[in-house]
Amino acid sequence: MDLMEKVVSLCKRRGFVFPGSEIYGGLQGFYDYGPLGVEMKNNLKRLWWRFMTVEHENVVGIDGAIITHPKVWEASGHIKSFVDPLSECKKCHHRFKSDDILKSNDLKESKCPDCKGELTEPRNYNILVPTELGVIEGEKTKTYLRGEACQTIYLDYKNVLQSSRLKIPFGICQIGKAFRNEVTPGNFLFRQREFEQWDIQWFCHPSEMDKWFEYWKKERMDWYKELFNNPNNLIFFEHKKLAHYAKKAFDIQYQASPFDGSEIEGIHWRGDWDLNRHGEYSGQDLSYKDLETNETFIPQIVETSGGVDRTFLFLLLDAYAEEEERVFLKLNPKIAPVKVAVFPLVANKEDLIKKAKEIYHDLKFSNVTTAWDDRGNIGKRYFSQDEIGTPWCVTVDYQTLEDGTVTVRDRDTTKQERLPVDKLLSYFQNILK
Ligand code: ATP
């Protein structure tokens, strides 16, 4: 089994991620997060949210609707792309106007201009997922599930400004679902049809675009690097082909097997493109008035747009480790789905169980996600927790009843130390904060 197969299998076996609609044979490009997966994904999202809204000044969040007015997608340019037949590269998934790249009528002779991969037949693509609103057949309104989460930030920008005291420069961030009719979904969570994005749109004065672009580029790379065991596997990729409104564009890529250079997040120079387009299509004035200088202008936007699911997947690949006797996930404790597992040394001694349950409940109700296990022998319990990345296992033994200490076993070193029960919570909280 290669690394990806091992991770996919572990995800299903231990309840991180299940194939969507599996009992009906599955539905390509859809996955469900299981009990451990949802904990880990929530931990990740909480960290991101904290990074944006607590560790940065002038950043607020929204949670926009998944279905928007259909005109949004005309303004964004997503609907127009329907008109041109495109070929998609089966390897890097970039799309090209077929007219531009077809050298002859034989598609096999044409290769992807970016990576020389094989191309799909030219087709009229629209990656948006349509849906219909209304109950009367024949009178339904066609609209779309949002193809990218960021659009709702542009729609809400004026409302956010008017309802808060934000002044430029400021950011609006969001974590939310996006839906795309991907032509070639695959690679587990990497390319799905329903996925989650975390975005910030940073609104600033035109004269400060360069400064803020560089600022967010560094901020985001530093954030990812802290979560990975192998930060050197994260690199910047600079786009050479730019949208007409962009001066520069970078991706943060994960550069390790089996994903050699795959995007986690894009840092985009969007300029005033989006607000101008939505202003034009909605007929609303989306300009900003600086009350100190009296200057009125359309703010420029730096966007960072990343994938929650891709980060989740890359972190699992980065964390997967095998030793002679065990498989373990070397996850950063902050994102591990379970932080602590509590065991009574044996399952049939009432005193031990009572004390262990007390510790289990204390930790659990103090927001340290805690598991209970009293099955089999201690060694097996350790290995079972290792496989899901639990950083610490606490064992309550006979000595606990005498001197109020427990053993705390570290996932990565497998070393044990004795700690007083009343110091446990602060010990874990200090590392997790
Ligand atoms: P790609 O070139 O890989 O298709 P993209 O450039 O279309 O990605 P963006 O539109 O910039 O991606 O979306 C921002 C982020 O959303 C990406 O960096 C990625 O992490 C995530 N993302 C995009 N498409 C998918 C998908 N189909 N499945 C999972 N995550 C996705």
Side-chain angles (χ1 to χ4, degrees), residues 392 408 417 419 423-432:
W392 303 287
V408 178
E417 59 176 324
L419 285 181
K423 294 273 175 347
L424 275 183
L425 181 62
S426 59
Y427 175 81
F428 298 133
Q429 280 177 335
N430 267 337
I431 303 176
L432 294 170

Side-chain angles (χ1 to χ4, degrees), residues 297-313:
F297 57 93
I298 297 286
Q300 301 264 323
I301 295 176
V302 177
E303 167 190 71
T304 77
S305 178
V308 182
D309 313 82
R310 284 191 190 176
T311 306
F312 182 100
L313 170 60

Side-chain angles (χ1 to χ4, degrees), residues 180 182 189-192 195 197 263-266 268 305-307 310:
R180 293 183 190 174
E182 293 283 1
L189 303 175
F190 181 76
R191 191 168 299 282
Q192 299 172 83
F195 55 96
Q197 296 182 311
E263 175 179 341
I264 310 185
E265 176 155 318
H268 301 136
S305 178
R310 284 191 190 176

Side-chain angles (χ1 to χ4, degrees), residues 132-148:
E132 287 182 318
L133 296 178
V135 287
I136 301 172
E137 287 303 331
E139 290 181 22
K140 293 186 180 180
T141 308
K142 183 176 175 189
T143 182
Y144 303 94
L145 307 187
R146 62 182 179 190
E148 54 186 19

